[in-house]
Amino acid sequence: MIKIAPSILSADFAALGDEIAKVEPVADLLHVDVMDGHFVPNLTIGPVVVEAMRRRTQLPLDVHLMIQHPDRHIAAFAKAGATSLTVHAEVCPHLHRTLQQIRELGVKAGVALNPSTSLHAVEQVLDEVDLVLVLSVNPGFSGQSFIPFVLKKVEEMRRWLKDASSHPELEVDGGIKLDNCRDIARAGASILVAGSAIFGTPDPRAAVMEMREQLQ
Ligand code: DX5
Ligand code: ZN
């Protein structure tokens, strides 16, 4: 069954515990967007917030690192209680080593690709990852529109993953709404991240349930 990961980037940060409680009974995991103002233009949160979330919920914390030097921070995020740590292929010259280091910390290892990055950037490491994250917006902000050509990338990555020994999840992130979630699932996604489509609505729990209905 396809998993839904609400992205807290669209939540009310002044009431984060309450926002988590709203989706906790219906979400499969919580997506946490970490931004450094270098790799992406925005700044968000660090390990202290992940640690506070870990104390608040049992849900897996799916931490998406949109940062220039992930190697410097993976240990801190692992200690804070991240369930998975996803690094961008674009900023990892030694991607294989970085992914191994994440796994050595006892955390699931993910690799992410911007919309304009070729799937070939991760071709050699597919047996070493628990998750491939295909960005369907240029990362940095929630509330952007899904970039249509990414659908073909998702289809192709799904074909590639059939042979990957570690059977990674295929996560798609950005611009996912009620009206396109089925197409993205059909293309082969196993996890859908949604920010504004969930926390941008008056009833985030109902929004998750509605998305799940669409996916049936
Ligand atoms: C984009 C982030 C996403 C973002 C998605 O930079 O990686 O996780 O929160 O937000 P929506 O669903 O509103 O595009
Ligand atoms: Zn994200």
Side-chain angles (χ1 to χ4, degrees):
M1 209 190 43
I2 190 139
K3 295 176 185 150
I4 298 177
S7 166
I8 61 148
L9 185 59
S10 298
D12 177 358
F13 276 87
L16 195 51
D18 298 339
E19 295 279 74
I20 291 170
K22 286 177 193 166
V23 297
E24 186 160 38
V26 290
D28 297 293
L29 54 177
L30 282 177
H31 186 79
V32 184
D33 287 309
V34 176
M35 306 185 183
D36 67 350
H38 293 278
F39 179 59
V40 291
N42 202 357
L43 279 163
T44 56
I45 61 166
V48 287
V49 175
V50 172
E51 204 242 313
M53 291 177 68
R54 181 71 296 158
R55 275 186 271 118
R56 192 71 179 227
T57 179
Q58 302 288 320
L59 284 175
L61 298 178
D62 168 38
V63 178
H64 178 193
L65 297 176
M66 285 160 277
I67 63 178
Q68 198 78 52
H69 298 288
D71 306 75
R72 296 180 190 169
H73 302 281
I74 53 178
F77 280 103
K79 189 158 175 263
T83 309
S84 59
L85 285 172
T86 299
V87 296
H88 269 263
E90 295 86 356
V91 291
C92 292
H94 309 291
L95 182 58
H96 178 255
R97 179 196 288 155
T98 303
L99 293 166
Q100 281 188 327
Q101 284 171 343
I102 294 172
R103 282 183 158 181
E104 278 163 17
L105 290 162
V107 173
K108 290 182 182 169
V111 66
L113 292 164
N114 282 335
S116 62
T117 304
S118 166
L119 297 183
H120 289 284
V122 299
E123 190 179 6
Q124 305 303 324
V125 295
L126 293 179
D127 288 329
E128 320 290 333
V129 292
D130 303 293
L131 176 103
V132 176
L133 171 49
V134 175
L135 267 293
S136 41
V137 296
N138 291 297
F141 304 93
S142 56
Q144 304 182 82
S145 299
F146 186 91
I147 298 172
F149 73 71
V150 173
L151 215 49
K152 285 253 174 312
K153 280 180 85 177
V154 176
E155 285 170 3
E156 186 161 13
M157 182 50 80
R158 174 47 68 201
R159 285 194 289 273
W160 287 18
L161 290 183
K162 289 214 169 82
D163 303 321
S165 60
S166 54
H167 306 294
E169 298 274 10
L170 176 46
E171 183 171 38
V172 182
D173 181 10
I176 300 182
K177 311 277 176 205
L178 282 181
D179 65 4
N180 61 9
C181 62
R182 282 169 78 114
D183 291 341
I184 301 159
R186 210 173 293 135
S190 64
I191 302 176
L192 301 183
V193 176
S196 49
I198 292 173
F199 287 112
T201 69
D203 189 344
R205 186 176 305 183
V208 175
M209 282 155 60
E210 244 179 291
M211 189 169 280
R212 223 180 265 296
E213 262 166 46
Q214 283 294 318
L215 293 166
Q216 260 155 28

